[in-house]
Amino acid sequence: QQQVKQSPQSLIVQKGGISIINCAYENTAFDYFPWYQQFPGKGPALLIAIRPDVSEKKEGRFTISFNKSAKQFSLHIMDSQPGDSATYFCAASNQGGSEKLVFGKGTKLTVNP
Amino acid sequence: GAVVSQHPSWVICKSGTSVKIECRSLDFQATTMFWYRQFPKQSLMLMATSNEGSKATYEQGVEKDKFLINHASLTLSTLTVTSAHPEDSSFYICSARVGQGKKNIQYFGAGTRLSVL
């Protein structure tokens, strides 16, 4: 019930391509869905987040698509760059409840030059 | 975004000693902070929720006597790993919550790598 399932585990994309990472959740009480970017040896950095009242949110090259009925959300990175190479974590929380973030297992993205 | 500072970034200690890790919110007050543990190439595992002025709430399976958490002020939470052993070696990360209710966001520190010899 509390899990957030993330796929793929790893992803290799060519520079300029589109990177797509998917997440699925079960708990319908979740109402906040952030994506974090983590570089080796560093803490996660908030990239972009969405709430279920919208189906899409775009910030620069990063877009979250949200499908409430399917209980799925995804991160799209347009025009992927080598500097985007990092591990990406999706997460979910019930901000009206415990507010704890439940993280996916992460996706290691490699963008080849 | 809000800045969360974590110190030290890396610590090496001998088995049996205690290590204190600090987590500070630099430009905001945080009534709630969170402590996570991350093993190599794995996700973040929530250890405990730290609330200012009250006892921390530990997740199931986390030894509260081993991982002492103190949230003495609105900008500082500390995690003390007591009597550390090699199996406690890990990457420890804190986060601080900004905002309230449905408008809160967690910002993370840079993490502390603990190596117990």
Side-chain angles (χ1 to χ4, degrees):
Chain A
Q1 185 78 358
Q2 288 295 321
Q3 282 187 329
V4 176
K5 296 182 179 179
Q6 183 172 347
S7 63
Q9 188 174 353
S10 63
L11 180 62
I12 300 174
V13 174
Q14 291 298 119
K15 179 182 176 182
I18 303 173
S19 304
I20 302 174
I21 305 171
N22 301 298
C23 284
Y25 63 97
E26 290 294 324
N27 189 348
T28 55
F30 287 150
D31 57 7
Y32 175 66
F33 304 89
W35 284 89
Y36 286 87
Q37 178 190 58
Q38 186 180 29
F39 292 104
K42 301 295 183 183
L46 179 64
L47 197 59
I48 187 172
I50 197 167
R51 300 180 197 278
D53 51 346
V54 296
S55 59
E56 185 175 282
K57 183 174 181 179
K58 183 177 181 179
E59 290 184 1
R61 296 185 294 111
F62 302 93
T63 300
I64 299 180
S65 296
F66 182 79
N67 186 329
K68 188 174 181 178
S69 61
K71 291 184 285 187
Q72 295 175 347
F73 58 109
S74 61
L75 175 69
H76 296 233
I77 306 175
M78 311 299 287
D79 186 27
S80 299
Q81 299 296 313
D84 296 330
S85 298
T87 298
Y88 292 81
F89 292 96
C90 64
S93 73
N94 172 12
Q95 296 211 312
S98 72
E99 301 178 357
K100 297 181 205 177
L101 281 173
V102 178
F103 282 89
K105 290 186 180 295
T107 296
K108 183 176 181 181
L109 172 65
T110 302
V111 182
N112 289 327
Chain B
V3 179
V4 176
S5 173
Q6 196 170 333
H7 178 81
S9 58
W10 196 359
V11 58
I12 302 173
C13 70
K14 292 182 178 180
S15 185
T17 61
S18 294
V19 173
K20 180 184 284 188
I21 302 169
E22 293 186 348
C23 180
R24 293 181 185 274
S25 55
L26 294 188
D27 49 1
F28 64 99
Q29 293 183 330
T31 55
T32 302
M33 292 184 175
F34 301 88
W35 287 96
Y36 296 82
R37 183 173 182 176
Q38 186 178 34
F39 291 104
K41 298 184 180 181
Q42 292 192 24
S43 190
L44 287 79
M45 181 191 79
L46 179 65
M47 298 175 66
T49 302
S50 171
N51 296 299
E52 188 268 337
S54 64
K55 290 184 179 180
T57 303
Y58 291 82
E59 295 299 299
Q60 191 173 8
V62 177
E63 299 176 62
K64 59 181 67 176
D65 293 331
K66 177 133 187 92
F67 299 100
L68 300 180
I69 292 172
N70 185 292
H71 195 150
S73 77
L74 287 172
T75 59
L76 174 65
S77 176
T78 60
L79 168 68
T80 300
V81 183
T82 61
S83 186
H85 288 93
E87 59 266 28
D88 299 323
S89 297
S90 191
F91 193 52
Y92 293 88
I93 313 172
C94 71
S95 72
R97 190 187 73 186
V98 176
Q100 294 183 342
K102 291 187 179 292
K103 293 189 182 246
N104 77 78
I105 297 173
Q106 280 191 39
Y107 291 97
F108 284 79
T112 296
R113 183 160 305 284
L114 171 63
S115 297
V116 184
L117 303 178

